[in-house]
Amino acid sequence: MTASFHWRLAEGGENLQRAMRGLRDDPAKALPDLAAQIHFCREAERVGIDALLVDINYAKPAPMVLALALAPHTRRLRFMVAHRPGLMSPTLFVQQVNSFSALAEGRICLNMVVGHSPDEQAYYGDFLEHDPRYARMEEFLEICRGLWETAEPVDYSGRYLQVEGARLNTPFTSPKGRKPQIFLGGNSKQAQQAATAYADCWLRFGEHPQRLASAIAPVLKSGTAVGLRLAVIARPTRAEALDAAARLVDLSRVGDKSEHEHLFVNGSDSVSVQQVYKMAADEWLTPNLWTGAVRTYGPPNVALLGTPDEIAQQIIDFESIGISHFILSGWPKLAEMVYFGEEVLPRVRRLEKKLDPAFPREISHA
Amino acid sequence: MPDLRFHWSMSSAGVEFKAARARSQHSAVPDMDAHLDFCRHADNNQIDSLLTAVGFHRPDPIAMAAALGVQTSHTRFLVAVRSGIMSPLLFTQQVNTVAALTKGRISLNVVAGHTPAEQRSYGDFLTHDDRYRRTDEFMTICKALWAGEVVTFEGEFYHLEKAAINLPFIAEDRSCPEIYFGGSSDQAYALAAKHADCLLTLPEPPEEMAPRIRPLLEADTEVGLLVSILARPTRDQAVNDAYAVLEKVGNRAKKTHRDFSKHSDSVAFTGQIRKAEEHSNHWLTPTLWNGAVPFMGAPAIALVGSYTEVAETIMSYKQAGVTQFLFMGWPDLAEMNRFGSHVLPLVREMEPNG
């Protein structure tokens, strides 16, 4: 009865000890920084992080390849590799995932996303709109499921995807099962439906626990777990945490970060991006849930803010409504993760023991 | 003329006579230790790059190159790729990521696919000629991305708008990977002349090849041979060992490749197999033998002979204009070691005069 804690992999070119200031398009971020990223991975493993999120966009290294390069430098750590259907044959995708599993002891799970920017999708040659992108996601995952779960060749003829007699000689191999754990993100109805049908865990951005509880109830009931994407600003005292948050907002005023983020939101057709951006008008969702970073750093950055005790309690409040996965990030990237792992996580584990054990929050690895 | 370059297939690292069995029966769970050992031997034998091939019966070649690339420091990887199963932008992003992680130790072997049923299993329903036209578009887009352009492209098969990536191809001496093309059809030749640094093709006797490859050489595209090799201290030993290979793999292998041919639309592969089945004399020249082709497929056409004979044969191909070789052996590791110790030194000795 314990939640899993994941963290977002630090990108190359970011000074891992400092707050993020650069633009999303910063060319330096496109370069892997293997030495720093290996260190980040090892620290993640040491402090009890389950998986590192390796996300996807045109401005970054390809996540599957980068994760494969990092995996040999760790032993238990998993990699949550992001992928957008529509960019690759589902058969080839499963072949890459399965090859990864064979080369790295099955330490891969997937973050399936549909993409949030029509402009960026067009770079990849994808011109579908929001709702059809989710319909294609379901077709994609149906084919993947066939390749993972059945011994027979897979035939599929959908509206967006067709394969005939698909089979692979490289199976998915992992101590945890015959297929990778799938995390699927998005706040829209379509995302919820796809997650319920095909994912192990539905990912959402942070919200007030009470509002969240009703939104996630049907998904939990269907047996799919729910996870949250959140930022963390944990400091020994609340004053220090508030100070760190204030400096973060100040930093964002340097350069045109804010302007850039505004363009990002306007250019997005993601329901969740729009929703969280609106929600951020209200700066404090709870005394320890701060939206002040959302308008400058983006929707994943609803932040857990406070002392280790406060943040642990806020996490437990989420766990008590059924949240069982947390994908976190922070500033400075490495220091925040280490502080979280050393100071917050042990407190969460102690509090978890007092939680009502009847509540279903184990997620199956089928 | 540049020095001859030699590459080796890594497909069967750790497995003997893999090509004699049906593809559906190949295990595609990679043995990392065997592969890393193979890489070390390739370095010792001055092999230029190792081919990671593509197919449903293998692990993904880009994943292999990435995993092996970060655990080696010299070996270069020739990664096979088929167009049409990945967005050109994502593909370029994956290739550039491997390059950034391995100091540019990746080149590409672009192939069109050889079996329609296998292509359909990846969601590709195009015919042979259409696949070549699509490969043309694919390479046009990839090369523009490597040139750092913001690419808007509206073709018959691909449509992209303002595509760009921030991670360039990073290598000591190049801003785009070396491109090899595989094939023997007219389309393959035309496309190689347009896009490739080198066409990898199956061997014919050198004097027959020379006129056929001349247009490519004039277009500044190198020509390489995809060929097996069996070199021994004496010719007798080589010929004996060649026939012994057939006995080991047995007649069941023959059926495997007849079945393969029935389902393939590759001009290069089916043509070779037919030629080898139809003729009773399998010695196309005293050192070019296609006797193993019916058993192990088209790339089993082999240079067979004494170390000196094989070295001289390589030089005769050099005179015909061939500058690169992608070898396979039975088994690969032992043959690669023989080549590196006994044949390559002879070749390097002959080269200044050839």
Side-chain angles (χ1 to χ4, degrees):
Chain A
M1 298 311 283
T2 57
S4 296
F5 292 88
H6 316 288
W7 208 273
R8 180 174 163 275
L9 176 68
E11 295 163 298
E14 290 172 353
N15 183 330
L16 302 184
Q17 301 300 328
R18 208 188 56 186
M20 175 184 84
R21 304 172 53 167
L23 297 178
R24 186 159 156 276
D25 274 7
D26 183 351
K29 282 191 191 180
L31 297 175
D33 182 347
L34 210 47
Q37 287 175 321
I38 288 169
H39 180 61
F40 193 88
C41 290
R42 288 182 170 153
E43 287 292 279
E45 187 164 270
R46 181 178 68 79
V47 302
I49 297 301
D50 177 359
L52 284 182
L53 170 66
V54 193
D55 53 17
I56 183 168
N57 72 48
Y58 77 97
K60 298 180 184 192
M64 184 80 76
V65 175
L66 178 58
L68 202 41
L70 295 170
H73 300 281
T74 52
R75 283 188 303 190
R76 290 185 317 277
L77 185 70
R78 299 193 301 154
F79 294 87
M80 189 184 296
V81 174
H83 185 68
R84 297 181 190 154
L87 312 188
M88 199 192 288
S89 149
T91 313
L92 181 61
F93 175 70
V94 171
Q95 193 167 16
Q96 288 203 334
V97 171
N98 291 2
S99 299
F100 189 119
S101 79
L103 294 163
E105 305 88 35
R107 292 186 285 125
I108 180 172
C109 51
L110 302 175
N111 177 28
M112 299 302 295
V113 284
V114 294
H116 49 73
S117 154
D119 284 351
E120 187 183 357
Q121 290 308 110
Y123 304 170
Y124 286 99
D126 178 21
F127 294 87
L128 288 188
E129 293 186 353
H130 179 274
D131 293 1
R133 291 208 302 275
Y134 273 104
R136 182 183 55 197
M137 166 85 87
E138 294 203 25
E139 294 190 7
F140 188 89
L141 291 174
E142 178 69 27
I143 295 168
C144 293
R145 175 184 280 178
L147 285 163
W148 280 316
E149 292 185 4
T150 60
E152 297 305 305
V154 176
D155 291 318
Y156 186 85
S157 183
R159 173 137 186 227
Y160 304 101
L161 299 170
Q162 295 82 34
V163 298
E164 199 178 289
R167 58 179 174 162
L168 295 165
N169 285 19
T170 311
F172 185 85
T173 45
S174 152
K176 288 187 169 168
R178 292 192 304 141
K179 67 188 180 75
Q181 204 178 12
I182 295 174
F183 296 79
L184 194 152
N187 278 21
S188 67
K189 205 78 200 151
Q190 290 88 345
Q192 180 183 336
Q193 182 188 314
T196 306
Y198 292 101
D200 299 284
C201 179
W202 184 30
L203 284 182
R204 296 180 53 106
F205 294 130
E207 276 178 65
H208 190 285
Q210 265 171 10
R211 288 185 50 183
L212 204 51
S214 56
I216 67 175
V219 175
L220 288 174
K221 210 169 171 187
S222 78
T224 299
V226 178
L228 290 183
R229 178 76 179 84
L230 291 165
V232 180
I233 304 171
R235 296 293 183 276
T237 66
R238 182 170 177 83
E240 285 171 89
L242 286 170
D243 189 47
R247 271 185 287 121
L248 201 60
V249 174
D250 281 345
L251 276 177
S252 72
R253 298 207 179 96
V254 181
D256 55 354
K257 175 83 187 159
S258 208
E259 176 67 11
H260 175 79
E261 208 51 61
H262 192 66
L263 288 173
F264 169 76
V265 172
N266 287 342
S268 174
D269 64 354
S270 158
V271 171
S272 45
V273 167
Q274 303 288 355
Q275 277 179 1
V276 175
Y277 202 71
K278 276 195 201 108
M279 185 182 77
D282 182 5
E283 199 180 338
W284 294 95
L285 300 180
T286 78
N288 301 107
L289 209 53
W290 179 64
T291 66
V294 167
R295 296 228 152 170
T296 43
Y297 292 90
N301 296 298
V302 173
L304 297 164
L305 181 148
T307 65
D309 280 322
E310 286 172 337
I311 291 179
Q313 187 54 53
Q314 182 68 64
I315 286 171
I316 290 296
D317 289 349
F318 280 125
E319 288 192 36
S320 60
I321 62 160
I323 303 290
S324 54
H325 287 267
F326 295 86
I327 302 179
L328 306 173
S329 56
W331 314 270
K333 295 173 183 296
L334 180 59
E336 190 72 63
M337 178 178 72
V338 169
Y339 188 70
F340 177 88
E342 291 178 345
E343 296 298 329
V344 182
L345 197 48
R347 289 172 163 84
V348 171
R349 295 304 184 213
R350 278 197 294 277
L351 293 170
E352 276 175 342
K353 291 190 182 126
K354 298 181 203 155
L355 271 178
D356 178 4
F359 204 94
R361 71 176 61 80
E362 272 292 301
I363 114 163
S364 82
H365 292 286
Chain B
M1 197 174 253
D3 280 351
L4 294 174
R5 292 166 67 190
F6 300 97
H7 315 275
W8 213 284
S9 161
M10 191 166 48
S11 309
S12 58
V15 198
E16 220 178 336
F17 301 120
K18 188 170 187 168
R21 275 179 290 142
R23 290 171 182 224
S24 57
Q25 285 156 30
H26 292 188
S27 163
V29 180
D31 175 342
M32 265 318 257
D33 291 341
H35 280 86
L36 286 171
D37 187 49
F38 199 83
C39 292
R40 276 188 290 273
H41 282 278
D43 288 347
N44 293 341
N45 289 306
Q46 296 172 50
I47 296 303
D48 196 278
S49 69
L50 292 177
L51 173 73
T52 56
V54 63
F56 78 94
H57 56 298
R58 308 177 189 282
D60 176 67
I62 289 187
M64 288 297 287
L68 292 167
V70 296
Q71 296 184 64
T72 53
S73 43
H74 298 289
T75 318
R76 297 167 48 81
F77 298 92
L78 176 53
V79 172
V81 47
R82 292 180 184 150
S83 79
I85 52 181
M86 204 193 294
S87 151
L89 187 69
L90 182 61
F91 173 72
T92 309
Q93 214 173 350
Q94 289 202 340
V95 170
N96 291 5
T97 305
V98 174
L101 293 165
T102 63
K103 298 197 167 73
R105 289 183 286 121
I106 178 172
S107 47
L108 302 176
N109 183 28
V110 181
V111 289
H114 49 66
T115 304
E118 184 183 8
Q119 292 305 115
R120 290 196 294 272
S121 81
Y122 284 93
D124 176 17
F125 293 82
L126 297 189
T127 61
H128 178 273
D129 292 4
D130 285 349
R131 293 206 302 276
Y132 274 99
R133 287 214 313 286
R134 183 185 55 202
T135 301
D136 186 6
E137 292 191 6
F138 185 79
M139 288 317 301
T140 301
I141 296 165
C142 291
K143 289 179 94 174
L145 289 168
W146 281 313
E149 294 170 25
V150 175
V151 181
T152 294
F153 185 95
E154 197 157 0
E156 192 183 347
F157 306 99
Y158 291 105
H159 176 196
L160 283 73
E161 272 173 26
K162 296 182 191 154
I165 45 175
N166 286 8
L167 173 59
F169 184 88
I170 301 170
E172 261 175 28
D173 50 345
R174 311 183 56 91
S175 57
C176 113
E178 239 183 314
I179 312 281
Y180 294 77
F181 258 63
S184 291
S185 67
D186 294 341
Q187 292 98 321
Y189 270 65
L191 217 51
K194 185 171 172 189
H195 290 300
D197 297 291
C198 179
L199 174 77
L200 286 173
T201 192
L202 296 164
E204 296 160 39
E207 62 281 6
E208 286 172 38
M209 285 200 80
R212 183 153 157 76
I213 66 176
R214 194 171 302 131
L216 281 174
L217 302 178
E218 281 165 6
D220 256 345
T221 300
E222 289 185 60
V223 173
L225 293 186
L226 171 63
V227 64
S228 294
I229 177 170
L230 196 157
R232 297 291 181 272
T234 67
R235 176 172 182 82
D236 279 356
Q237 277 171 281
V239 172
N240 279 341
D241 281 7
Y243 291 133
V245 164
L246 303 190
E247 289 197 3
K248 265 196 201 165
V249 299
N251 270 320
R252 197 164 51 87
K254 246 185 188 171
K255 184 179 174 310
T256 298
H257 288 280
R258 269 189 211 136
D259 288 348
F260 171 86
S261 261
K262 258 187 247 162
H263 297 111
S264 174
D265 63 358
S266 158
V267 172
F269 282 20
T270 55
Q272 272 299 326
I273 293 172
R274 193 172 55 244
K275 222 193 284 181
E277 289 248 304
E278 280 169 3
H279 298 279
S280 52
N281 177 12
H282 291 300
W283 295 91
L284 305 180
T285 76
T287 50
L288 183 61
W289 179 65
N290 70 9
V293 167
F295 298 84
M296 289 189 284
I301 185 164
L303 307 181
V304 177
S306 69
Y307 297 141
T308 308
E309 283 174 333
V310 169
E312 283 167 349
T313 304
I314 287 169
M315 291 309 295
S316 67
Y317 278 109
K318 186 183 181 191
Q319 274 142 30
V322 172
T323 45
Q324 305 202 35
F325 293 82
L326 170 55
F327 284 133
M328 274 144 293
W330 309 304
D332 280 299
L333 188 56
E335 197 63 46
M336 183 167 72
N337 286 335
R338 277 189 214 104
F339 172 79
S341 308
H342 302 295
V343 181
L344 188 57
L346 294 174
V347 170
R348 293 298 183 218
E349 231 170 77
M350 296 173 185
E351 268 193 293
N353 309 316

